[in-house]
Amino acid sequence: MTGVDRKLSARLLVESLVIVVSILAAFALDRWWESVRARAEEQQVLEALDAEFRAARDQLEGTLALHQRILHSVTFVREELDKAVRDGAPFVVLPDTALALLYIPPTTQLRLGTLDGLVGSAHLGVIRDGELRSTLAAWGSTLDELTEEEWASRQYVNTE
């Protein structure tokens, strides 16, 4: 092999290495950029979920307060009816609001658009924390149980 051939071979080797290193660097840069973008998306999702769950908490607290008023009303009406039966009274006078609360128990209907979108599109994986993902995935069934209990309570009050 002559000197020219060696120079040409060395040059081809260097150029080949530069091309391979450039391609590998491009892949690494692309993975890094995708990771940055994914973390930014996760942060946006977490902030949206935080806002939605804060609003849901406020709504649930309001619903709980109404349920407590209804419980107080049911207890009051039952006590007044029991007292009338004990006293042999032919009728009972009750405030309209006490009776009205018996017939308008709420049902909890929370709207969590971000969570619904993540679950519906199977995009919940954007959240890295596995425990949080599992908890969020189970949220719908937890809320369904609450609504079922509210309906059962409503039926009980209406029939009993």
Side-chain angles (χ1 to χ4, degrees):
M1 197 183 255
T2 67
V4 172
D5 289 337
R6 277 189 230 160
K7 282 185 177 181
L8 184 59
S9 293
R11 183 173 178 192
L12 288 175
L13 179 63
V14 169
E15 287 180 11
S16 297
L17 285 174
V18 168
I19 291 171
V20 169
V21 168
S22 297
I23 291 171
L24 292 176
F27 283 142
L29 185 59
D30 187 51
R31 279 193 307 270
W32 171 80
W33 182 247
E34 182 61 29
S35 173
V36 168
R37 192 190 60 72
R39 293 314 117 226
E41 181 182 11
E42 178 188 30
Q43 187 62 37
Q44 288 177 326
V45 165
L46 291 173
E47 288 171 4
L49 287 170
D50 181 59
E52 286 181 356
F53 275 99
R54 286 179 188 276
R57 181 192 61 211
D58 293 344
Q59 185 179 348
L60 286 171
E61 287 173 352
T63 301
L64 177 61
L66 183 53
H67 278 297
Q68 289 169 338
R69 285 183 57 206
I70 292 168
L71 177 61
H72 176 73
S73 181
V74 167
T75 302
F76 172 76
V77 169
R78 191 191 73 222
E79 288 171 354
E80 291 298 310
L81 291 172
D82 289 345
K83 181 180 173 189
V85 168
R86 276 193 316 273
D87 296 346
F91 62 89
V92 176
V93 176
L94 297 168
D96 293 344
T97 55
L99 293 174
L101 283 171
L102 300 179
Y103 292 102
I104 59 163
T107 53
T108 304
Q109 300 293 321
L110 300 177
R111 299 290 174 237
L112 298 170
T114 301
L115 179 58
D116 292 343
L118 289 172
V119 171
S121 67
H123 197 61
L124 203 54
V126 72
I127 297 172
R128 289 181 288 175
D129 186 320
E131 185 178 342
L132 179 58
R133 270 195 321 269
S134 297
T135 301
L136 290 172
W139 171 254
S141 61
T142 302
L143 187 58
D144 289 344
E145 288 177 20
L146 170 64
T147 303
E148 286 176 22
E149 289 177 17
E150 288 174 331
W151 276 104
S153 295
R154 174 183 281 190
Q155 289 303 106
Y156 179 79
V157 168
N158 289 338
T159 59
E160 299 298 322

